[in-house]
Amino acid sequence: MAEASRDFSDVARLPAPADNAAVATERLEAGTRVARNGEAFTISHTVLEGHRFLTEPLAEGEELLSWGLPFGRATKSIAPGDYACNEKILTALAEREVDFQLPDRPNFRDAELLTYTLDGENFQPGEQVPLYSSPATFKGYRRGGSRGVGTRNYVVLIGATSRTGGFVKALEHRLQNAADDHPEIDGIVAVAHTEGGEEEAPNNLDLLLRTLSGFIVNPNVGAALVVDEPFGTVTNDAIRGYLEKNGYPLRDVPHEFMTLGRSFGLDLKAAGETVRGLLDGVGSARRTEEPLSELKVALQCGGSDAFSGISANPLAGRVAKEIVRNGGTAVLAETDELIGAESYALANVRDLAVAERFLLMVERFKRRVGWHGHTAEGNPSGGNNYRGLYNISIKSIGAATKRDPEVRLDEAIEYAERFDRSGYLFMDSPGNDLESVAGQVAAGCNLVFFTTGNGSVTNFPFVPTIKIVTTTGRYRMLRAEMDVNAGAYLDGEPLGSVGARMFGLTLRAASGEKTAGERAGHSQVSIWRNWRQTGPVDLPAIQNTPEPDGEPLPLIVEAPTSDKAFDALKTERGYVADQVGLIMPTSLCSGQIAVRIADGLNARDFDRDRLSRFVALPHTEGCGNSGGASEKLYSRTVLGHLANPIVRFGLLLEHGCEKTHNDYFHARLREAGLSPDDFGWASVQLDGGIDAVVGKVAGWFDGRLDRATELASEPVGLEHLRLGLDAGGPLPDEAARAFAALSATVVASGGTVVVPERSPLLTSGVYLESTVGRAHNTLSYGEAARKDGFHVMESPTGDPLEAATGLAATGVGVMLTHVSGRPLPAHRMVPLLQVSSDGRTIAKYGADLDLTGDPDLRAEKVLDLLLRVASRGYTPKLLGQGNVGFQFTRGLLGVSM
């Protein structure tokens, strides 16, 4: 008996009536019969939910359409029911190891991304939707001057650069209950970021100053403390000068600027007293009835899928239209996610100048990524692909629907540029969700609409986020993390009805009702990261630079060996300095959740004879950044940390929609000769949200600990010592001699020393003439050292946090740096000893240094302390105090997308 046909309306949607590629609303198995318009056709191959199949026959060369716009061109004849697939989607599904047969080859190629040509002669200005005669209101915090109205009332702790990020996070932790007696204060939150940490000024300096300035005066900020360090590339004076020069209303914000100049503990105490002195003033604020013209909403999407442009984005656009009609403002962003959809974005625009400004921003973005060897086609992530977004054209078409067709584009502004007009705006930004949101917040947005298909749980620290998920299935899976189910529209409820309900929620959230993200206590910040290239470069020369061969450099001196020993742990991978449980986020969006899990596990009782501690390594990569060399560099460094011998149990925690998801790392581990079965795997989205994944990860580690044997230790020699070595600031000759003697002794004794390429050690003649003479790179950044001896690790930037991250991935078990100036944040996983022979450094920061010698810093004393750390008998001071940092480099060609 023939199988009954499924009705088309029950299994698929056409985004626009004239489209010829339908979106499956459920998984359709190969052979399924589908009835449409009185005819039936057969699904050729299994089509996942969100993927497309043809509804009309196409000849080779004809266009595939969604929303009436082309996203592909047929490379062969395609019949109704055939699964629409390009080469990228077949590759992405193969990596996911799907349980069905894929087509042998693609049947369409991506639509050409042609430069949009604006017809200036025939341009017609658009019209904005009319304002309501009686606009709505919400209850917000009226700020002084031109700051507007806040939807929240936070004390914000801002690190001027990445080097002060560890301090403001530690301060946030110390003050987590300080505002409990002030019910009008929503919290005390830190803004720690990745920027400005090098010795030279970054290429994004103006953007960085503009963003930090915008954070300070955002209406949701009741008071701000800004923290810098002496001689940084981005200082308080620079931020204050930028605020004043550009007319920011700084005087209307209760604020303090603080420069770190004493020990970590004393600075932390002083900063805490400063913040407590601000609390009474911040806590005296009261909500008042305010017009909706004071609401400024950031429109953002992340973890998008094929339904984003059908349900969630049109819903966000519809509610944004209501805000505009009430005199408020909506801000669209993500420049590269509108490439290919320019005709839609500019279908209704205020004037020719705005249209030209928008297109200039698009072309500038293309040039910038082009300097780094990339194009906009690299934007869709692995999660996007898996959920049906085949290429940038189809992603952009759906993303653009956050502008309702009736709404006019009123202005195009720079990243983080403050705006003083209402209406519908566009802000230049990368497609990286968190980097884009940061710019919108700095521009003045006091609420975020975040649409998501996969179920992104991302939130911002001091601006509430309303998360809108595309389908009912995902909403049910992640109910605790999502605020609005746009899937109700797909299920048959009118969009107007769903929109009215969301508009009501918007007013309540703006008036203080906590959103799902706020209830979960989850938030992260990332500013548009620095880009290395600022003009055309010889890309082949950079891309084809030979990789180091991994062979250690020979010593040029006769060095004495040492019979000193340390108390090492005996493992299947040899003698090691420690055994930890590592939670490695596969992208930025699971980072804070990983930290929460590690903190919770460390607070519990567990058998410390089997494991010393749990560690999480939060970072900002793996999602909205380019592929190619930078992606390879990133994945190699992740694997280096997972394979570091001090890791006894390692688990990878994906968000679920990133480029570098769990399946991606399954493949990378196998390529590196490592077994995925040796690691744990968890997914914030697919495991059901934050609480569910916390329980799953804890259960996996509990199971491993239950089956693990107790650790045994015994004294071993320096041949088992793996040491990362660096220096920060000027290196005195006395210290160079001590470090040279230490290096030579360890290497001569059979151990390993790894030094980053840009270390002052390698520009010191005193150090080199007593070790290896002329040095060259023997390891790529983050590459595991396979052979013992002296290694130099490639280091694309001068950021000390990025250098330490790379060193830890080489497999070292302890790190040592000489400090002239302020000590560095400690690495989260590998202990970092900090010593100094600089008198001024010792006078200021002696309490944070692990060893001092003014001017005498002897190699023997340093080695003794290193061996105490390697024996787990001493914890470096700043690691013990929680002043920690972790940051991947993007290399020379990495860029936000």
Side-chain angles (χ1 to χ4, degrees):
M1 182 175 180
E3 180 184 350
S5 296
R6 303 285 305 279
D7 188 82
F8 177 84
S9 63
D10 292 335
V11 299
R13 291 285 186 279
L14 280 176
D19 291 348
N20 54 27
V23 182
T25 55
E26 62 180 67
R27 173 170 166 153
L28 298 176
E29 300 297 339
T32 301
R33 295 282 290 172
V34 176
R36 179 173 183 262
N37 297 335
E39 298 182 359
F41 50 80
T42 302
I43 299 298
S44 64
H45 294 78
T46 297
V47 179
L48 293 175
E49 179 190 51
H51 288 242
R52 285 168 165 78
F53 61 88
L54 273 293
T55 60
E56 306 289 342
L58 288 183
E60 182 179 345
E62 292 189 309
E63 293 177 331
L64 286 77
L65 303 176
S66 266
W67 291 279
L69 297 173
F71 68 90
R73 191 174 296 277
T75 55
K76 54 183 283 191
S77 296
I78 312 177
D82 282 357
Y83 171 47
C85 53
N86 59 358
E87 184 174 354
K88 185 173 185 180
I89 210 70
L90 292 180
T91 301
L93 291 179
E95 189 171 73
R96 291 280 189 166
E97 300 179 351
V98 294
D99 60 353
F100 54 87
Q101 184 175 358
L102 294 167
D104 293 333
R105 59 192 179 95
N107 54 19
F108 79 89
R109 59 181 169 82
D110 292 346
E112 299 86 356
L113 283 179
L114 302 176
T115 299
Y116 178 82
T117 302
L118 183 66
D119 185 358
E121 290 186 5
N122 297 307
F123 178 84
Q124 295 293 322
E127 292 187 1
Q128 189 56 279
V129 291
L131 297 175
Y132 288 127
S133 58
S134 299
T137 61
F138 72 102
K139 290 185 176 180
Y141 294 100
R142 168 66 64 176
R143 306 300 186 186
S146 62
R147 291 183 63 211
V149 175
T151 62
R152 294 294 183 270
N153 189 33
Y154 277 98
V155 177
V156 179
L157 318 170
I158 298 175
T161 71
S162 59
R163 297 192 188 206
T164 54
F167 180 88
V168 293
K169 291 299 290 185
L171 181 60
E172 176 191 61
H173 180 74
R174 172 174 284 204
L175 297 174
Q176 59 185 324
N177 299 317
D180 287 354
D181 294 335
H182 299 274
E184 290 291 332
I185 297 179
D186 290 292
I188 302 171
V189 295
V191 172
H193 59 86
T194 58
E195 301 310 288
E198 297 188 59
E199 297 297 334
E200 64 269 16
N203 295 325
N204 65 346
L205 178 59
D206 188 72
L207 177 150
L208 178 56
L209 291 171
R210 188 164 66 239
T211 304
L212 297 177
S213 297
F215 284 167
I216 295 168
V217 302
N218 184 284
N220 284 12
V221 176
L225 172 67
V226 186
V227 179
D228 74 350
E229 60 179 3
F231 314 115
T233 59
V234 181
T235 63
N236 287 341
D237 286 343
I239 297 171
R240 186 187 290 109
Y242 190 93
L243 285 155
E244 294 172 352
K245 178 182 178 181
N246 292 280
Y248 283 74
L250 178 61
R251 66 181 61 187
D252 298 319
V253 187
H255 67 276
E256 296 287 346
F257 288 97
M258 176 180 176
T259 296
L260 303 180
R262 295 171 289 179
S263 70
F264 181 73
L266 289 176
D267 278 337
L268 207 58
K269 180 180 179 182
E273 292 171 352
T274 297
V275 172
R276 288 186 175 89
L278 295 168
L279 295 180
D280 286 342
V282 179
S284 66
R286 296 292 182 270
R287 290 185 182 270
T288 54
E289 204 74 30
E290 301 291 344
L292 207 61
S293 58
E294 295 289 353
L295 194 60
K296 301 172 175 62
V297 177
L299 298 172
Q300 193 66 217
C301 57
S304 302
D305 70 359
F307 301 105
S308 294
I310 300 173
S311 62
N313 286 344
L315 176 60
R318 189 181 187 95
V319 179
K321 178 173 67 174
E322 286 299 296
I323 291 168
V324 171
R325 294 197 67 185
N326 280 276
T329 307
V331 182
L332 183 66
E334 299 180 289
T335 306
D336 52 331
E337 296 189 4
L338 294 174
I339 295 174
E342 293 93 341
S343 59
Y344 181 92
L346 297 177
N348 185 5
V349 61
R350 178 168 62 94
D351 56 34
L352 185 60
V354 172
E356 290 173 338
R357 222 167 8 253
F358 171 81
L359 292 174
L360 284 172
M361 290 174 175
V362 169
E363 291 307 308
R364 181 176 62 187
F365 194 99
K366 290 179 182 178
R367 286 197 305 274
R368 182 177 290 155
V369 299
W371 297 334
H372 294 79
H374 304 287
T375 66
E377 284 93 331
N379 172 287
S381 70
N384 293 152
N385 296 150
Y386 188 63
R387 293 283 291 168
L389 294 180
Y390 294 81
N391 53 36
I392 188 58
S393 295
I394 206 163
K395 186 175 183 181
S396 292
I397 296 166
T401 61
K402 292 194 289 292
R403 183 189 66 79
D404 187 283
E406 296 180 5
V407 173
R408 183 183 72 184
L409 177 62
D410 288 315
E411 189 55 90
I413 63 174
E414 297 289 350
Y415 182 88
E417 179 185 349
R418 290 190 81 223
F419 55 85
D420 56 6
R421 66 170 299 142
S422 59
Y424 195 93
L425 315 180
F426 169 77
M427 184 198 76
D428 181 36
S429 79
N432 184 306
D433 311 333
L434 291 185
E435 293 182 21
S436 186
V437 168
Q440 291 168 308
V441 168
C445 290
N446 52 12
L447 189 68
V448 178
F449 286 173
F450 195 106
T451 65
T452 179
N454 288 271
S456 176
V457 302
T458 298
N459 302 279
F460 195 83
F462 58 87
V463 176
T465 301
I466 293 177
K467 292 195 289 289
I468 309 151
V469 70
T470 60
T471 61
T472 298
R474 283 282 160 154
Y475 179 76
R476 288 172 177 162
M477 182 187 295
L478 296 164
R479 184 183 296 269
E481 322 303 339
M482 300 294 117
D483 297 284
V484 177
N485 175 24
Y489 169 63
L490 296 177
D491 299 338
E493 184 178 350
L495 189 63
S497 173
V498 184
R501 194 160 60 248
M502 180 177 158
F503 183 69
L505 172 63
T506 299
L507 297 184
R508 297 196 306 275
S511 300
E513 182 177 304
K514 289 188 179 298
T515 63
E518 290 178 299
R519 293 193 296 271
H522 175 254
S523 62
Q524 290 171 288
V525 177
S526 188
I527 296 171
W528 194 343
R529 287 200 68 176
N530 191 28
W531 47 88
R532 307 303 302 182
Q533 312 304 333
T534 57
V537 295
D538 185 355
L539 287 171
I542 299 175
Q543 294 166 331
N544 299 324
T545 300
E547 293 188 355
D549 59 13
E551 292 293 328
L553 299 176
L555 295 175
I556 63 170
V557 296
E558 289 289 335
T561 60
S562 172
D563 59 1
K564 291 191 174 185
F566 66 101
D567 190 30
L569 298 171
K570 187 177 182 180
T571 73
E572 294 179 354
R573 291 184 288 173
Y575 290 99
V576 299
D578 203 0
Q579 290 284 263
V580 304
L582 172 63
I583 305 170
M584 173 57 78
T586 64
S587 70
L588 73 169
C589 292
S590 54
Q592 190 200 25
I593 299 166
V595 171
R596 177 189 297 188
I597 296 171
D599 288 346
L601 292 173
N602 282 322
R604 300 190 326 176
D605 288 331
F606 65 92
D607 191 341
R608 296 180 188 273
D609 291 328
R610 290 175 168 84
L611 200 71
S612 66
R613 58 195 168 102
F614 294 92
V615 179
L617 300 176
H619 57 84
T620 61
E621 302 309 295
C623 190
N625 53 284
S626 55
S630 60
E631 181 182 306
K632 181 180 179 181
L633 183 154
Y634 162 68
S635 63
R636 181 176 62 231
T637 311
V638 170
L639 264 58
H641 281 85
L642 289 166
N644 188 304
I646 72 171
V647 176
R648 189 175 198 187
F649 308 127
L651 177 142
L652 293 94
L653 177 65
E654 71 170 10
H655 186 212
C657 54
E658 55 265 74
K659 284 186 176 183
T660 53
H661 42 72
N662 279 349
D663 288 335
Y664 171 93
F665 276 110
H666 267 268
R668 302 294 85 74
L669 284 165
R670 285 193 293 268
E671 291 169 0
L674 300 170
S675 172
D677 295 337
D678 291 339
F679 300 92
W681 304 88
S683 174
V684 177
Q685 292 171 5
L686 296 181
D687 289 327
I690 295 175
D691 289 343
V693 82
V694 168
K696 178 178 180 177
V697 173
W700 184 84
F701 277 111
D702 285 345
R704 284 297 174 110
L705 281 168
D706 287 343
R707 296 190 297 273
T709 58
E710 290 189 0
L711 296 169
S713 63
E714 58 185 75
V716 298
L718 297 188
E719 68 272 18
H720 298 290
L721 185 66
R722 300 171 68 87
L723 172 64
L725 207 61
D726 199 1
L731 181 67
D733 286 348
E734 296 84 356
R737 290 189 185 93
F739 273 44
L742 171 68
S743 301
T745 297
V746 172
V747 172
S749 301
T752 297
V753 172
V754 186
V755 181
E757 168 190 9
R758 291 175 179 250
S759 174
L761 291 166
L762 300 184
T763 57
S764 167
V766 171
Y767 179 81
L768 290 174
E769 68 187 15
S770 298
T771 52
V772 295
R774 296 182 64 182
H776 64 265
N777 294 343
T778 65
L779 299 173
S780 298
Y781 179 91
E783 179 187 0
R786 308 291 180 188
K787 296 183 178 181
D788 296 328
F790 190 102
H791 287 282
V792 177
M793 182 195 72
E794 173 192 31
S795 188
T797 75
D799 191 304
L801 280 178
E802 294 180 2
T805 298
L807 285 177
T810 67
V812 299
V814 61
M815 294 189 288
L816 168 70
T817 188
H818 181 276
V819 178
S820 290
R822 186 169 174 268
L824 306 174
H827 189 277
R828 288 176 171 269
M829 186 175 88
V830 178
L832 171 64
L833 279 170
Q834 303 195 58
V835 304
S836 185
S837 61
D838 176 69
R840 289 176 296 180
T841 298
I842 295 169
K844 275 192 171 186
Y845 305 111
D848 293 337
L849 297 169
D850 298 293
L851 188 65
T852 61
D854 183 12
D856 178 34
L857 190 70
R858 292 184 293 111
E860 186 175 2
K861 290 175 62 178
V862 177
L863 179 58
D864 287 343
L865 185 57
L866 278 170
L867 297 181
R868 283 183 62 197
V869 176
S871 302
R872 300 159 311 287
Y874 177 83
T875 299
K877 291 180 180 178
L878 290 181
L879 177 62
Q881 294 181 72
N883 186 6
V884 294
F886 183 82
Q887 185 167 310
F888 289 110
T889 185
R890 286 187 174 175
L892 299 177
L893 297 178
V895 65
S896 296
M897 296 180 68

